[in-house]
Amino acid sequence: QEQEKYEASAQLLTKLINNLHNGILVTDESRKIIFANQKFCEMHQLDMPAEELIGTNHYDLLHNEQIRYAEKEHIIERVKLVTRFKEVVLSDELELPGGVIVSRDYLPLMLGEADKGAIWKFRDITSSRNIERRFENQRLFYESILNNISADIAVFDADHRFMFVNPKAVKDAFLRKWLIGKTNEDYCRYRNLPLSIAEEREEYFNQAVRERKMIYREEKIEWGGQSTVYQMRCLFPVFRDNGVFEMLIVYGLDITDRILAEQALQTSMDTFASSFNYSGIGKALITLDGKWLEVNDKICELTGYTREELCQCYCDDITYPDDRQVDNYFKDQLLTKEVPAYTIQKRFISSQRHIITTSITVSIVWDNDENPKYYIFDIVDISRQKELTDEIHRKNAELEATGTSLNNKISQLEELNHIIAHNLRGPAANISMLADRLIMADDDPAAEEEPFTKEEAGQIIHESSIRLTNSLNTLMELMQIKLNVDIASEDCDLRELINDITKQLYGIIFEKQAKITLNLEIDVIKYPKIYLESILYNLISNAIKYCKPGEIPFIEIGSTVVEGRVVIFVKDNGLGIDLEKYREKVFKLNQVFHRGYDSKGVGLYLIKNQIESLGGSIKLLSKVNEGCEFIVTL
């Protein structure tokens, strides 16, 4: 009877095990299989009845080629390890072909201290593990989004404790991990922030939960007095289907740049408003179609109209009729950005019908899309200034009328004085040099190196003295008539004039061995002779004086006609003048460009005034160490 009961229990147990959804493998103390159900064979893709496994060594089964565990050697070593220690092992995961994942439990069978074998239970967890993986991948996906979003993200549970913080909110990974389960108060203590921040956050937390809606707030954080940060925070409460509060999602954006820009803008607006309203000159904003948009008190005082009256009319309504179109051209330049601003005179008519002369400066304001918004007018009353200016002009005209004659006489005397000084310098130097030869003893060794004999020197001195006397007589006669009348033009022979000048400069020409060539298309010129001689004398003497040391001076003198006017040029190969440095000073008085020469800086100033007084002009082309070319248009 006991045997029957045992067999009946064994059959029932076997039937139950065979119908389990788990694979079962039972081994004895010698590792031989004494039982296996069909589910075990199906899981391991063994194409045989489970009964055939009975009597097989467990280790031999693991080496069976039909059982294809991933990392099979590792699994075999694991089996040996757990059977050695004979302790319960649950949930070892094994991977089979086709992505099947099996969870294995090891249950040792002990009878007291005696080893009676073991039960191995296998269950297919592929579906649940795939679900877990899917949820994990989904979690990682959303967490990746939250971690990479450009906003601070934090999630709090119902107890106001951190559940999640993204790297944007807290960059330190250690601190992020530490925060989980902590409160805002813990965070403030950790960062040495005022606890008032935590209290304020708790208050908004409770408000969002209480009102059951999203709320916004701006937060200012001062980091230890070193920097100030402004953030816009959004608090979004999440409730379950049954209405129970579950969590609070908080996200924040750094709005420091926006706040600072707003503060700067407000400061700029306040500054502009103060400058606009309290300026000592009239200021107004005018629409593009000319309507008064905004005016300050000075405009009202100037025109006699109230602010309300002006803002209901157009600028042209109070503009003097003749001046209404005076600035249209400049407005077009403003709108095309050719000029940033312009200033003109404009007349307005006050409420008392008085004409007000003003100076207005107009600029334009553009929006972010580079579209014009309105004009800014700065208006200054210059009525009294205009009256005084007109009076000064009248007085000046009277003074000019009475002083013209005197100025002409003084100017003429100064010019004649300079002409005399320059025209006598050459002959005097020539005579001085030749006189040294006359007083030199015949037995003086230096006499052999002199280019002239005493007789030749005496003859040249004689000729120079005659020319000097003639020049003095001419200048004296000219001085007498110059006080009351202009110098008369006469036919001047250029070749003859140049020949006379070279004779006056004979000494320095001989000394420098200068070569002078003429390229004259015009020989006779109608011009005041004394002026033309002075002009050519200065240009030729300068060309010789400022030659390059050790080089022979080459001077070309030419004349031609350009657009009906006579043009004379004098060109040399001398030192030249640095025009990039001295362009504006070339023809100024007392300007010297080469040191170490006998120069007073008067010659070029003199001839420029002579030429321009008769309606001509002079210009210079020059490069350093390449010479000068003076071009005179008569």
Side-chain angles (χ1 to χ4, degrees):
Q1 291 175 352
E2 290 298 325
Q3 184 175 356
E4 288 177 357
K5 288 174 60 177
Y6 169 78
E7 289 178 355
S9 296
Q11 290 176 2
L12 176 62
L13 182 60
T14 301
K15 188 174 183 178
L16 287 172
I17 292 175
N18 283 328
N19 287 280
L20 286 176
H21 291 292
N22 298 327
I24 300 295
L25 185 71
V26 182
T27 62
D28 61 14
E29 64 275 13
S30 61
R31 311 292 182 265
K32 290 186 180 295
I33 299 173
I34 60 175
F35 178 82
N37 67 355
Q38 199 60 40
K39 190 65 177 179
F40 173 83
C41 293
E42 292 174 1
M43 280 185 180
H44 291 80
Q45 300 177 5
L46 294 173
D47 188 15
M48 63 178 66
E51 290 80 6
E52 292 185 12
L53 295 178
I54 295 174
T56 303
N57 186 281
H58 188 196
Y59 292 162
D60 293 340
L61 177 63
L62 291 175
H63 284 92
N64 190 316
E65 293 182 355
Q66 293 186 51
I67 296 181
R68 296 192 297 275
Y69 287 123
E71 300 181 354
K72 191 169 184 177
E73 293 301 324
H74 171 73
I75 292 174
I76 293 172
E77 291 301 319
R78 174 67 174 164
V79 168
K80 291 179 180 180
L81 182 65
V82 298
T83 55
R84 182 187 310 162
F85 289 101
K86 296 181 174 55
E87 293 180 354
V88 175
V89 177
L90 303 177
S91 301
D92 271 353
E93 289 192 8
L94 312 175
E95 185 174 345
L96 293 169
V100 175
I101 300 173
V102 175
S103 176
R104 181 183 64 189
D105 297 338
Y106 169 71
L107 304 172
L109 297 175
M110 304 294 294
L111 185 60
E113 295 294 328
D115 179 9
K116 295 300 181 177
I119 299 176
W120 298 85
K121 184 178 73 171
F122 302 83
R123 69 179 180 277
D124 190 341
I125 61 171
T126 305
S127 178
S128 62
R129 188 61 76 231
N130 286 340
I131 292 173
E132 289 176 3
R133 287 178 177 176
R134 186 164 61 251
F135 279 118
E136 178 64 12
N137 290 336
Q138 198 170 39
R139 184 189 68 79
L140 293 174
F141 172 73
Y142 288 116
E143 187 173 308
S144 174
I145 293 175
L146 294 176
N147 286 339
N148 289 283
I149 201 168
S150 60
D152 297 356
I153 304 291
V155 181
F156 296 86
D157 63 16
D159 294 326
H160 298 199
R161 296 185 179 277
F162 285 94
M163 298 172 61
F164 171 82
V165 183
N166 74 343
K168 180 66 177 176
V170 177
K171 294 182 176 60
D172 188 335
F174 171 80
L175 180 55
R176 285 201 307 276
K177 185 176 180 180
W178 176 86
L179 269 177
I180 304 304
K182 303 296 190 301
T183 64
N184 267 312
E185 183 176 340
D186 298 327
Y187 175 73
C188 289
R189 292 183 189 280
Y190 182 89
R191 299 299 295 267
N192 294 320
L193 295 173
L195 292 180
S196 58
I197 294 178
E199 294 171 358
E200 187 178 357
R201 290 180 177 179
E202 293 297 310
E203 180 181 339
Y204 282 102
F205 186 115
N206 294 329
Q207 179 186 346
V209 175
R210 184 174 58 253
E211 297 179 3
R212 306 175 72 87
K213 67 178 183 180
M214 184 186 298
I215 63 171
Y216 295 90
R217 57 181 292 266
E218 289 185 5
E219 186 175 75
K220 176 182 178 182
I221 304 176
E222 295 182 355
W223 296 102
Q226 297 179 355
S227 63
T228 301
V229 175
Y230 296 89
Q231 289 193 328
M232 169 65 76
R233 297 200 178 278
C234 169
L235 290 80
F236 181 77
V238 177
F239 296 88
R240 296 174 185 166
D241 293 340
N242 59 6
V244 176
F245 171 69
E246 182 175 4
M247 61 183 173
L248 182 77
I249 301 173
V250 180
Y251 68 85
L253 296 174
D254 188 334
I255 57 172
T256 304
D257 291 342
R258 193 203 77 189
I259 294 296
L260 294 179
E262 289 176 353
Q263 292 175 351
L265 177 61
Q266 187 60 47
T267 300
S268 177
M269 292 175 63
D270 292 343
T271 302
F272 176 78
S274 178
S275 171
F276 186 90
N277 293 323
Y278 304 111
S279 175
I281 64 174
K283 285 184 173 289
L285 304 181
I286 309 292
T287 63
L288 297 180
D289 59 354
K291 189 174 183 179
W292 298 95
L293 185 62
E294 184 61 64
V295 298
N296 67 353
D297 292 341
K298 197 67 179 178
I299 295 284
C300 299
E301 178 186 329
L302 179 68
T303 62
Y305 292 100
T306 65
R307 183 178 278 100
E308 291 73 19
E309 289 173 333
L310 285 173
C311 290
Q312 292 177 3
C313 66
Y314 289 83
C315 186
D316 281 352
D317 294 340
I318 65 169
T319 301
Y320 189 73
D322 291 349
D323 292 352
R324 287 176 181 169
Q325 308 299 324
V326 71
D327 58 349
N328 285 350
Y329 170 75
F330 299 104
K331 283 184 177 179
D332 290 340
Q333 288 187 312
L334 268 186
L335 292 171
T336 57
K337 295 188 177 182
E338 295 179 49
V339 295
Y342 67 85
T343 301
I344 61 169
Q345 286 190 11
K346 199 168 190 177
R347 290 168 291 182
F348 293 97
I349 302 173
S350 71
S351 60
Q352 293 80 29
R353 307 299 299 169
H354 296 153
I355 296 179
I356 308 161
T357 303
T358 67
S359 173
I360 66 170
T361 298
V362 183
S363 57
I364 198 167
V365 175
W366 305 84
D367 63 17
N368 293 334
D369 296 325
E370 294 298 312
N371 296 317
K373 293 184 66 176
Y374 48 78
Y375 298 106
I376 300 178
F377 276 35
D378 289 341
I379 304 176
V380 180
D381 184 359
I382 60 170
S383 300
R384 180 58 180 162
Q385 178 184 339
K386 188 74 166 56
E387 293 173 1
L388 293 175
T389 302
D390 292 342
E391 182 66 20
I392 290 172
H393 287 164
R394 287 193 294 271
K395 295 296 183 182
N396 285 342
E398 294 175 3
L399 290 173
E400 289 176 3
T402 57
T404 298
S405 177
L406 179 60
N407 289 335
N408 286 338
K409 291 182 177 64
I410 294 173
S411 177
Q412 292 163 358
L413 287 173
E414 288 177 348
E415 291 180 7
L416 290 172
N417 178 51
H418 287 303
I419 291 173
I420 291 171
H422 277 73
N423 287 7
L424 296 185
R425 184 182 296 175
N430 210 20
I431 292 172
S432 175
M433 183 184 70
L434 295 170
D436 291 339
R437 177 67 185 93
L438 289 178
I439 64 176
M440 186 178 293
D442 292 335
D443 58 352
D444 191 331
E448 297 179 0
E449 298 179 4
E450 289 293 325
F452 308 109
T453 64
K454 285 187 176 182
E455 291 75 13
E456 291 172 336
Q459 180 62 33
I460 294 173
I461 290 174
H462 177 69
E463 293 175 359
S464 295
S465 63
I466 293 174
R467 285 193 294 273
L468 182 59
T469 302
N470 292 337
S471 293
L472 284 172
N473 291 335
T474 301
L475 290 171
M476 292 300 295
E477 293 174 2
L478 185 60
M479 187 180 297
Q480 295 299 319
I481 62 174
K482 189 68 168 120
L483 295 176
N484 295 305
V485 297
D486 294 332
I487 298 177
S489 297
E490 57 185 292
D491 291 332
C492 302
D493 190 315
L494 269 182
R495 293 183 185 274
E496 184 179 328
L497 268 178
I498 294 170
N499 185 52
D500 288 342
I501 292 170
T502 54
K503 287 181 179 180
Q504 295 177 45
L505 299 172
Y506 181 81
I508 190 172
I509 291 175
F510 183 86
E511 179 184 348
K512 302 287 187 179
Q513 300 182 4
K515 305 297 182 183
I516 299 176
T517 59
L518 302 182
N519 183 15
L520 304 177
E521 295 180 11
I522 306 297
D523 288 327
V524 179
I525 299 173
K526 192 127 182 115
Y527 203 77
K529 183 177 180 180
I530 188 66
Y531 276 6
L532 188 57
E533 184 179 6
S534 175
I535 293 166
L536 290 171
Y537 180 91
N538 272 284
L539 297 181
I540 295 171
S541 63
N542 282 350
I544 299 172
K545 180 189 298 183
Y546 299 112
C547 65
K548 287 186 282 190
E551 289 189 23
I552 295 177
F554 286 90
I555 303 163
E556 181 183 0
I557 305 171
S559 64
T560 186
V561 175
V562 178
E563 296 180 354
R565 301 188 68 172
V566 176
V567 175
I568 297 174
F569 66 88
V570 178
K571 185 176 182 180
D572 64 69
N573 65 333
L575 295 173
I577 296 175
D578 187 349
L579 294 183
E580 291 186 4
K581 186 175 181 181
Y582 298 116
R583 183 180 300 277
E584 302 301 324
K585 297 182 178 180
V586 169
F587 298 102
K588 300 292 185 181
L589 184 62
N590 299 326
Q591 297 297 318
V592 178
F593 310 108
H594 302 289
R595 302 298 177 184
Y597 294 83
D598 181 20
S599 175
K600 308 299 182 185
V602 176
L604 293 179
Y605 168 79
L606 175 65
I607 64 175
K608 181 176 185 295
N609 281 275
Q610 292 169 345
I611 293 167
E612 291 181 349
S613 68
L614 296 174
S617 64
I618 181 172
K619 70 176 181 178
L620 169 63
L621 304 176
S622 179
K623 290 184 178 180
V624 176
N625 290 325
E626 292 186 17
C628 295
E629 181 178 9
F630 288 90
I631 302 172
V632 179
T633 302
L634 303 178

